[in-house]
C-alpha cells in the first residue's frame, strides 16, 4: 500500500531538483562570479557547479539510487560550494 504522505513528499522533492539547481547557480553567480569573492575563488563558478552536479547524478544513477535519492544528490551537489568563505 502506498503511503499518500510519503508519495506527496517524494513528488515535492522531485520537483525541487530543477528549481534548487537554478537557485544554486544564481547564488554561485552572484557570490563567486560577480561578488567580492570573484577573484579569490575563481574556480567556484556555474560551470564547475553544473559539472559537479552532472557527475554526481550520473554516479547516483549508476549505483542504483531511487529517483528521489538522485534528486537529493542533485540538490546537494548544486549547493556544495555555497558554504565557501
Amino acid at each position: 500500500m502506498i503511503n499518500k504522505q510519503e508519495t506527496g513528499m517524494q513528488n515535492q522533492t522531485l520537483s525541487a531538483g530543477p528549481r534548487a539547481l537554478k537557485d544554486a547557480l544564481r547564488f554561485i553567480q552572484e557570490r563567486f562570479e560577480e561578488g567580492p569573492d570573484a577573484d579569490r575563488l575563481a574556480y567556484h563558478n556555474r560551470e564547475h557547479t553544473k559539472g559537479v552536479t552532472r557527475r554526481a547524478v550520473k554516479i547516483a544513477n549508476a549505483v542504483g539510487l531511487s529517483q528521489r535519492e538522485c534528486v537529493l544528490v542533485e540538490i546537494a551537489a548544486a549547493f556544495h560550494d555555497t558554504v565557501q568563505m
Side-chain angles (χ1 to χ4, degrees), residues 3-57:
N3 180 328
K4 288 183 181 181
Q5 182 179 11
E6 189 174 300
T7 302
M9 181 182 288
Q10 181 176 359
N11 289 338
Q12 185 178 17
T13 303
L14 294 178
S15 66
R19 186 177 65 246
L21 179 57
K22 183 179 175 183
D23 290 344
L25 292 174
R26 185 176 59 247
F27 180 86
I28 293 293
Q29 178 181 5
E30 290 169 359
R31 179 150 183 217
F32 299 115
E33 294 178 20
E34 299 169 354
D37 292 324
D39 291 332
R40 188 172 68 83
L41 297 171
Y43 54 90
H44 293 282
N45 57 45
R46 288 172 289 169
E47 291 309 309
H48 165 74
T49 299
K50 287 178 191 177
V52 169
T53 302
R54 186 178 61 254
R55 289 186 298 276
V57 170

Side-chain angles (χ1 to χ4, degrees), residues 55-71 73:
R55 289 186 298 276
V57 170
K58 280 185 176 183
I59 293 168
N61 282 312
V63 299
L65 296 183
S66 70
Q67 186 176 6
R68 178 179 185 271
E69 291 168 323
C70 287
V71 170
V73 165

